[in-house]
Amino acid sequence: VTTSRGVDTLVEQALAGDQRAIARLITLVEDNGAEARAVVAALYPRTGRAHIIGVTGAPGTGKSTLVNALAKAYRRADRTVSIVAIDPTSPFTGGAILGDRIRMQELAGDRGVFIRSMASRGSLGGLAWATGDAVKILDAVGYGMVLIETVGAGQAEVEIASTAHTTLVVTAPGLGDEVQAMKAGILEIADVLIVNKADREGADSTAAALEAMLDLDSRRGSWRPPVLRTIATQEVGIDAVIEQAEKHFRHIQASGQLRAHEQQRAKDELSNVLRQGLMRELLARIGQDGYDALVDQVATRQLDPYAAAERLLRDPPFKTAGYPK
Amino acid sequence: VTTSRGVDTLVEQALAGDQRAIARLITLVEDNGAEARAVVAALYPRTGRAHIIGVTGAPGTGKSTLVNALAKAYRRADRTVSIVAIDPTSPFTGGAILGDRIRMQELAGDRGVFIRSMASRGSLGGLAWATGDAVKILDAVGYGMVLIETVGAGQAEVEIASTAHTTLVVTAPGLGDEVQAMKAGILEIADVLIVNKADREGADSTAAALEAMLDLDSRRGSWRPPVLRTIATQEVGIDAVIEQAEKHFRHIQASGQLRAHEQQRAKDELSNVLRQGLMRELLARIGQDGYDALVDQVATRQLDPYAAAERLLRDPPFKTAGYPK
């Protein structure tokens, strides 16, 4: 357990650029204990400076290679970069660590780059939550660019991507039907569309298909996502991606969308934190035994979950010993 | 809007086997309004009879074809089957409906089969919630088998799969590295492992790799997942899958794991419903203006989300007009 004093020290070290301290802070928000709140409280006022870029796409599109190429290009332009890779391996295994190691070989020793993989522990929403807090930390300690890499398939990933100001959706030629179908969905969150592996057969038709889908999309506002081609393994086309991402950021700044985005994020975060806090308080008042008895009644189908909840919510302050029939 | 009386009628019709009424009830739980609660309240006591089977796997493994083959085989054995397909297309588009139509052609006109695709609307967790309620409806109206089909990548999908008593994890030879890595994760939720497209090159080594991973897994209890081979397009190997799924169900019945599973489900559902209810109550007490003012302070970084939540939670019953500084 890290004490509150420990958190203060870590925050100080992290602000001075100590990467080990930054990593520790992210672990604290992953653990989601009392320290997580102290970390966010200390760093939240310093957030709001980074350009947060989501990079999403189906397996096999070459997302990770593209993210690495972007990071290198940003470094050449003397910007600081952090990468949060949402590990698709599973909510269970230690794939995250392996991913970190492979990437680190390439970008090791550069203090202007920070790389972190995150895998989920525990319940739905936990990963999105921890990722949001990790991004706050990286923003607050001064990384100019924060890249969040996700697999585009799941709802959780889409929610994680919603943290980003700018979302790059990566595709590649010849990935098969089901993957193409997925693409149709994530098209709607794309600010920049990338056809990676553009030297492969089918790149032209993939790009044309994307343009055709954009033509059909009537919900589009003032920004039409450009369709760019890259060969990430050869670092081809990377500068255009960087240029368009920056252009998009300036666009949402000017249009007021950035402000609306921040407002929505604040709303979502507050309601998440509140839900958790309310539940904790309710449990403290009922006591574990009373709650367990009610769970039993739901499990044995004497009560449905909604009726059980209504019973708890109707009768605060829940002072009865045992439970009302 | 469906009235409470309307819900009663729909429930009656659904219990009599009216598929249109069943579809309407599922739409009501998707909409998650007051009617959703009425639907669950009416049907919850009748749940607990179906065998709920999750079928998950990466894109390209042939999950949907396998699910269709399973449904046909169950029908031949005179069991009633429902399929809930979690649409991987996106939380945004109408791919769900298309999926239904394609499947319906094959199994159309059989009243012993019910097929429904579900896509997410709204927040993280919403889809898992609606799926859980849809499964309750299908269980309650009498489908002996409920198959839930998900893409294995995301945390949301894993959570949805946790509704199932038995989880089939589908793989296929030659899907590439990233997909293989995903497989490592979902291995841990597998009760039956299936190498589909078993006539393809590499099926032997895929099956061998799975067995090797099972050998290494020390957390396994009394059930070792069998590794089965299928060619779903030709309906080869389907009976063995059905046999092992049933064997697994009898195993968890006998071992007490089924009861523990029901207990855990009840706990999760109650806490979900409670969180939502508590939040609704809090908002009603604060009023929208007070809440919005606080969101503003978070968005402009005058307050961090945790501090804002603590302020709300510390000072019930939130009767002050405006907001304390």
Side-chain angles (χ1 to χ4, degrees), chain A residues 51 53-57 66 70 74 165-171 183 186-196 210-211 214 220 223-230 237-249 251:
Chain A
H51 183 189
I53 299 180
V55 185
T56 190
L66 183 76
L70 284 169
Y74 279 125
H165 301 123
T166 301
T167 300
L168 317 182
V169 171
V170 188
T171 64
K183 216 166 54 185
I186 52 182
L187 191 65
E188 293 166 56
I189 58 168
D191 300 308
V192 178
L193 284 158
I194 297 168
V195 180
N196 191 34
L210 291 173
E211 294 282 6
L214 290 172
R220 284 280 158 202
W223 175 264
R224 178 177 166 122
V227 178
L228 305 176
R229 294 168 196 222
T230 58
I238 304 303
D239 288 345
V241 174
I242 286 179
E243 190 188 306
Q244 289 297 321
E246 190 169 328
K247 194 174 162 194
H248 176 260
F249 191 67
H251 170 79

Side-chain angles (χ1 to χ4, degrees), chain A residues 32 124-130 132-133 136 159 162-163 264-280, chain B residues 123-125 275 279 282 291 295 305-306 309 312-313:
Chain A
N32 193 27
L124 181 63
L127 180 59
W129 186 314
D133 282 352
K136 285 189 202 73
E159 190 115 338
S162 77
T163 310
Q264 188 58 48
R265 291 289 311 161
K267 204 167 183 166
D268 293 348
E269 296 220 344
L270 180 56
S271 92
N272 276 339
V273 175
L274 268 177
R275 275 203 195 93
Q276 218 185 34
L278 283 166
M279 190 66 192
R280 201 166 38 222
Chain B
S123 77
L124 181 62
R275 274 201 194 95
M279 191 65 192
L282 181 71
Y291 193 71
V295 167
Y306 293 104
L312 286 173
L313 294 171

Side-chain angles (χ1 to χ4, degrees), chain A residues 47 93 188 263 296 301, chain B residues 47 93 188 262-263 296 301:
Chain A
T47 60
T93 53
E188 293 166 56
Q263 200 80 10
D296 262 344
R301 296 180 169 77
Chain B
T47 60
T93 53
E188 293 166 55
E262 303 256 286
Q263 199 81 11
D296 262 344
R301 295 181 171 79

Side-chain angles (χ1 to χ4, degrees), chain A residues 16-301:
Chain A
D18 179 340
Q19 297 209 331
R20 239 179 298 183
I22 297 169
R24 286 289 314 274
L25 291 176
I26 294 177
T27 302
L28 290 177
V29 300
E30 275 186 322
D31 293 346
N32 193 27
E35 292 90 359
R37 268 163 275 163
V39 171
V40 174
L43 291 174
Y44 192 76
R46 294 173 185 269
T47 60
R49 294 176 300 168
H51 183 189
I52 304 166
I53 299 180
V55 185
T56 190
T61 53
K63 274 181 316 296
S64 300
T65 312
L66 183 76
V67 166
N68 284 0
L70 284 169
K72 287 203 269 179
Y74 279 125
R75 290 305 293 139
R76 278 195 297 271
D78 221 20
R79 295 197 203 162
T80 52
V81 189
S82 54
I83 301 170
V84 181
I86 307 305
D87 196 277
T89 310
S90 86
F92 306 99
T93 53
I97 297 151
L98 183 65
D100 275 352
R101 289 207 183 131
I102 292 166
R103 282 157 182 269
M104 276 301 180
Q105 293 176 345
E106 209 171 349
L107 294 159
D110 178 354
R111 286 173 54 101
V113 180
F114 182 87
I115 304 171
R116 172 73 169 227
S117 292
M118 297 183 79
S120 169
R121 330 174 172 178
S123 77
L124 181 63
L127 180 59
W129 186 314
T131 303
D133 282 352
V135 169
K136 285 189 202 73
I137 292 168
L138 295 166
D139 179 353
V141 303
Y143 287 101
M145 312 302 304
V146 181
L147 308 180
I148 310 173
E149 178 189 330
T150 61
V151 174
Q155 171 73 4
E157 285 77 9
V158 172
E159 190 115 338
I160 288 164
S162 77
T163 310
H165 301 123
T166 301
T167 300
L168 317 182
V169 171
V170 188
T171 64
L175 281 179
D177 285 350
E178 196 165 356
V179 175
Q180 298 295 322
M182 269 189 205
K183 216 166 54 185
I186 52 182
L187 191 65
E188 293 166 56
I189 58 168
D191 300 308
V192 178
L193 284 158
I194 297 168
V195 180
N196 191 34
K197 306 187 179 181
D199 51 345
R200 285 208 189 165
E201 207 186 305
D204 286 344
S205 62
T206 300
L210 291 173
E211 294 282 6
M213 288 164 99
L214 290 172
D215 288 341
L216 285 173
D217 192 349
S218 56
R219 279 157 309 184
R220 284 280 158 202
S222 49
W223 175 264
R224 178 177 166 122
V227 178
L228 305 176
R229 294 168 196 222
T230 58
I231 310 167
T233 51
Q234 298 167 35
E235 303 185 25
V236 169
I238 304 303
D239 288 345
V241 174
I242 286 179
E243 190 188 306
Q244 289 297 321
E246 190 169 328
K247 194 174 162 194
H248 176 260
F249 191 67
R250 292 192 197 287
H251 170 79
I252 61 170
Q253 265 182 323
S255 68
Q257 285 163 277
L258 182 62
R259 211 181 147 267
H261 177 269
E262 303 256 286
Q263 200 80 10
Q264 188 58 48
R265 291 289 311 161
K267 204 167 183 166
D268 293 348
E269 296 220 344
L270 180 56
S271 92
N272 276 339
V273 175
L274 268 177
R275 275 203 195 93
Q276 218 185 34
L278 283 166
M279 190 66 192
R280 201 166 38 222
E281 193 172 290
L282 181 71
L283 275 178
R285 282 200 269 171
I286 308 169
Q288 196 62 46
D289 287 353
Y291 193 72
D292 288 350
L294 208 64
V295 168
D296 262 344
Q297 288 186 281
V298 174
T300 55
R301 296 180 169 77

Side-chain angles (χ1 to χ4, degrees), chain B residues 10-23 110-114 141-143:
Chain B
L10 281 174
V11 165
E12 214 171 281
Q13 291 166 338
L15 288 170
D18 179 341
Q19 297 208 330
R20 241 179 297 184
I22 297 168
D110 179 354
R111 286 173 53 100
V113 179
F114 182 88
V141 302
Y143 287 101

Side-chain angles (χ1 to χ4, degrees), chain B residues 75-152:
Chain B
R75 290 304 294 139
R76 279 195 296 272
D78 220 22
R79 296 198 202 161
T80 51
V81 188
S82 54
I83 301 170
V84 181
I86 308 305
D87 196 277
T89 310
S90 85
F92 307 98
T93 53
I97 297 150
L98 183 66
D100 275 352
R101 288 206 185 131
I102 292 166
R103 282 154 182 272
M104 276 301 180
Q105 292 176 345
E106 208 171 352
L107 293 159
D110 179 354
R111 286 173 53 100
V113 179
F114 182 88
I115 304 172
R116 172 74 170 228
S117 293
M118 295 181 81
S120 169
R121 331 173 172 179
S123 77
L124 181 62
L127 180 59
W129 186 313
T131 303
D133 282 352
V135 169
K136 285 187 201 71
I137 292 168
L138 295 166
D139 179 354
V141 302
Y143 287 101
M145 313 300 305
V146 181
L147 308 180
I148 310 173
E149 179 190 330
T150 61
V151 174

